[in-house]
Structure formats: C-alpha cells, structure tokens
Amino acid sequence: MAVRQKGRDKGWSIESSLEELALLCRTAGAEVVGRLIQQRDRPSPQTYLGKGKIEELLALINEHKYTVVVVDDELTPFQQQNLEELLLIKIIDRTALILDIFSQRARTKEGQLQVELAQHQYLLPRLAGQWSHLERLGGGIGTRGPGESQLETDRRIIRRKIQRLKDEIGKIRKHRALYQHQRQKTGIPVVALVGYTNAGKSTLFNTLCHANVFVEDKLFATLDPTTRRIKLPDSRDILLTDTVGFIQKLPTTLVAAFNATLEELQSAALLLHVVDITHRDAELQRKTVEEVLAQLDLSQKPVIVALNKVDRLDESTKNSLDEHGIEVKLKDTVQISAKTGFGIPELMELILRKLTDTSSKV
Ligand SMILES: Nc1nc2c(ncn2[C@@H]2O[C@H](COP(=O)(O)OP(=O)(O)OP(=O)(O)O)[C@@H](O)[C@H]2O)c(=O)[nH]1
Ligand SMILES: [Mg+2]
C-alpha cells in the first residue's frame, strides 16, 4: 500500500511520484496493491496522516490484509513510530526504501560501506522510538523493553559503528585521490555520464565502450562508478565514467554518504547528461538532475545533453520533441538511441568539439 500527500513537490504530479514509488517498490521486491492519497496543506507533525485518513487506512488494512505501508516522503522518527502504533503495521518511508535498494545494489567495497553509513545514520534517531514502542505495544513480563540504559548502549554502538565506517571510507578515499591524481597526470580528460535513474546511462556506456556493464529496467541498476578508456573520432583518448542515477527527493543521508563517489564528478572535464526523452516526466527529470548537480557544486561544468531512446519515437514526434515538454532549444543537445546506436557518431563529434572548446578556453 503506497501513501502520499497531495501537492507537496515542485512540479511532480502525485501520479508521477506514486508511479515512481511503485517502481521503487518493485525494484526492492514488493508489489504495490493499493494506493491512498491525502489532501492536506501540510503533514501532521504527529502522525503524518490526518485522523480521518488513518481510519480509512486502518479499514483498508483490515479488509485487504496489507502487510506493509510505504509512504512517499521521509517521515520523522516520531511520525513513523506513532503511525506504526496506530496502524499496527510495518511502515516504510521513501528514504528507507531507497536505502534498501541501494544496499541490494552496492557491489564494490566502497559502495557497500557508503550505504551502510547512510543506513546507520538513518537508524540512529529512530532507535529511541523502537524501544519505547515495543514497551508500549507489548508491556508486561517478557516483552518489557530494554529500557534507557540499553538504549544508551545501543546508541553508543551505532555511533561507534558510524565512526568506523567513516574511517574506512576515508581510507579508500585517500587511495582514490591518489589514483585520481595519477590519472590527472596522464592528462586524459574524464567525461562523466549523469542522469536520472533508468535514463539509459549504462546502456550508452556499453555502446560507447562495447563494454558489458549491468543494465536493467529497474531503478538504480548502477551504484558504483565504472571507468573505461575510449577513443574519440580524432583518435584522442578519453576516460568515460558511468555513475549512480539521481532521483527526486534523494535522501540527504545518501547524498552525504555518496559524496566520495560523486566527487569523481568533480574531476570530470565534461558531463554527459542522459535524458530518457520518452518518459512522461522527461523535463522534470532533467531539472531534478540539474538541481542535484547544483547541490554538488557542478553547475559550472560543461554539459552535453543526450536525449536518449529516440528509437521509441516515430518520425513525426522526433521532429517535435517540444511536445514531450523538453526544451530542445538547449545548446549542445543531441538525439540518440543508446540501444540502436542512432546518433552516436554525432554525439562523439559533439564530445570532441566540446572538449576542444573547453580546453582552448583554459
Ligand atoms: N528503447 C530503448 N531503451 C533503452 C535505451 N537506452 C536504454 N534503454 C533501456 O532503459 C533501461 C534502463 O537502462 P540503463 O542503461 O540501465 O539505465 P541507467 O541510466 O544506467 O539506470 P540506473 O543505473 O538505474 O541509474 C534498460 O531497460 C535499457 O534497455 C534506448 O536507447 N532505447
Ligand atoms: Mg546504470
């Protein structure tokens, strides 16, 4: 059961956001069997949902025997605890869901450590709730909660764990910096693929490198950056990097934890922004990616926009992409199909031109 509130996010319609949430659920291995939308100016600080909606939801849970409720926002620990007590059902918020997917997907040691860090940071303020919640739910012999001293111990353990994870990530980071430094010395420019999750970055990466990177029609197929050396039309080399996809309302804990990986982007000479032009929310996705790039201080980087999956469009729509809501008058835009290879020579030429432009400016 997926729940969200009306009118809370810039530009994104409730349907789009809920649809994306359902896709996230499927990626995490759960099927959405019901949806509930609440109209409210702002969420209740105590219970997120209002009284009437809670009753409605409770009735639905009893009728359909739902097992989990997924909320399309990040809940405060207080809201989550109260909701679980009232509904007596497991509540997962958008952040926990994304963290779960990330933990399934991380492959490298660094990726795993980063996700683990984000999970522990998410858990820390939620610990208190867990214990008192158990006490009140169960009560009595055998189910009595471990109490405050246990809670303090648990908090200490989690804090220590967080520190250990940070130390370990720090070590890997140093190693990476060394590697990056060596790479810079070779003078080969780095071109980094960025874009909304599922836009087709890895497919394009494969097409450009003839490599075989994990591609899947699921969200966040790629978590760990992969880099390969490829040749441009003038036979100059570049390093191409495939990265993690972005999403609206990306949990802040994750952005922080993945900072090290995203730092790879800082050293890029050029960003190749891949947009799934066939997606209903292509323009919103493009804007979201731009916002995340701005948060990461990358707005000043030279960018090429690759409008991907044009093989799905028919001839007439290809010429009027405006109808898809995308602002095609953007400079340095090229239409491609990572799958069929359409537009790839033009893309390579554009990369070459853009790199030559930028290097002649500095
Ligand atoms: N029709 C069509 N499908 C494509 C194209 N490019 C990618 N796809 C499909 O889109 C889906 C997502 O592709 P990926 O390459 O995994 O996307 P990504 O941007 O790397 O996604 P994340 O790693 O999850 O952020 C896959 O099912 C691809 O087969 C294309 O040019 N045309
Ligand atoms: Mg990918």
Side-chain angles (χ1 to χ4, degrees), residues 198 200-203 213-216 220-223 242-245:
N198 219 39
K201 300 175 293 299
S202 299
T203 309
V213 177
F214 188 55
V215 173
E216 211 182 359
F220 301 116
T222 308
L223 274 195
D242 186 17
T243 57
V244 55

Side-chain angles (χ1 to χ4, degrees), residues 1 31 38 45 85 137 164 184 194 197 206 227 311 324:
M1 162 62 100
E31 212 51 54
Q38 163 159 278
E85 266 180 43
L137 268 185
R164 248 201 331 265
Q184 271 160 7
V194 294
T197 180
N206 283 339
T227 304
D311 57 285
H324 289 255

Side-chain angles (χ1 to χ4, degrees), residues 108-111 114 169-184 223-227 241-243 258-265 267:
T108 63
K109 180 80 183 154
E110 185 180 19
Q114 286 170 335
I169 293 171
K171 269 187 224 148
I172 299 180
R173 208 165 168 173
K174 258 193 208 142
H175 186 78
R176 182 196 280 281
L178 209 70
Y179 176 69
Q180 247 175 26
H181 184 67
Q182 279 169 355
R183 223 162 53 184
Q184 271 160 7
L223 274 195
D224 310 300
T226 327
T227 304
T241 299
D242 186 17
T243 57
F258 269 76
N259 232 339
T261 309
L262 294 169
E263 264 175 16
E264 285 271 295
L265 296 176
S267 66

Side-chain angles (χ1 to χ4, degrees), residues 175-337:
H175 186 78
R176 182 196 280 281
L178 209 70
Y179 176 69
Q180 247 175 26
H181 184 67
Q182 279 169 355
R183 223 162 53 184
Q184 271 160 7
K185 274 205 302 204
T186 64
I188 305 177
V190 175
V191 176
L193 290 161
V194 294
Y196 209 79
T197 180
N198 219 39
K201 300 175 293 299
S202 299
T203 309
L204 180 59
F205 184 80
N206 283 339
T207 304
L208 293 176
C209 312
H210 313 289
N212 208 0
V213 177
F214 188 55
V215 173
E216 211 182 359
D217 196 11
K218 281 191 173 169
L219 305 183
F220 301 116
T222 308
L223 274 195
D224 310 300
T226 327
T227 304
R228 296 260 197 296
R229 190 193 272 236
I230 63 167
K231 277 204 189 308
L232 288 179
D234 70 342
S235 80
R236 197 190 339 169
D237 280 341
I238 57 164
L239 292 172
L240 193 68
T241 299
D242 186 17
T243 57
V244 55
F246 298 158
I247 196 164
Q248 55 141 340
K249 298 193 276 187
L250 196 64
T252 42
T253 41
L254 262 181
V255 178
F258 269 76
N259 232 339
T261 309
L262 294 169
E263 264 175 16
E264 285 271 295
L265 296 176
Q266 308 286 352
S267 66
L270 175 66
L271 302 179
L272 181 48
H273 181 169
V274 184
V275 178
D276 174 359
I277 188 65
T278 65
H279 197 286
R280 189 176 64 183
D281 296 309
E283 179 60 8
L284 272 171
Q285 295 189 339
R286 190 183 68 79
K287 284 199 177 123
T288 303
V289 170
E290 278 185 354
E291 278 163 24
V292 180
L293 289 176
Q295 276 169 28
L296 297 168
D297 252 349
L298 292 164
S299 300
Q300 300 310 315
K301 289 261 179 208
V303 184
I304 288 176
V305 180
L307 304 175
N308 190 30
K309 308 196 188 179
V310 292
D311 57 285
R312 283 197 184 159
L313 306 176
D314 56 37
E315 280 310 313
S316 58
T317 32
K318 247 182 240 175
N319 299 322
S320 57
L321 284 180
D322 274 340
E323 284 170 20
H324 289 255
I326 203 107
E327 293 161 25
V328 270
K329 279 152 232 102
L330 294 166
K331 238 178 62 196
D332 301 320
T333 300
V334 58
Q335 293 183 29
I336 61 158
S337 164

Side-chain angles (χ1 to χ4, degrees), residues 152-167:
E152 262 319 301
T153 316
D154 287 349
R155 275 208 193 108
R156 247 196 328 267
I157 292 172
I158 302 267
R159 279 205 195 95
R160 231 181 279 148
K161 177 87 186 169
I162 288 178
Q163 195 48 51
R164 248 201 331 265
L165 287 166
K166 281 185 176 164
D167 290 347

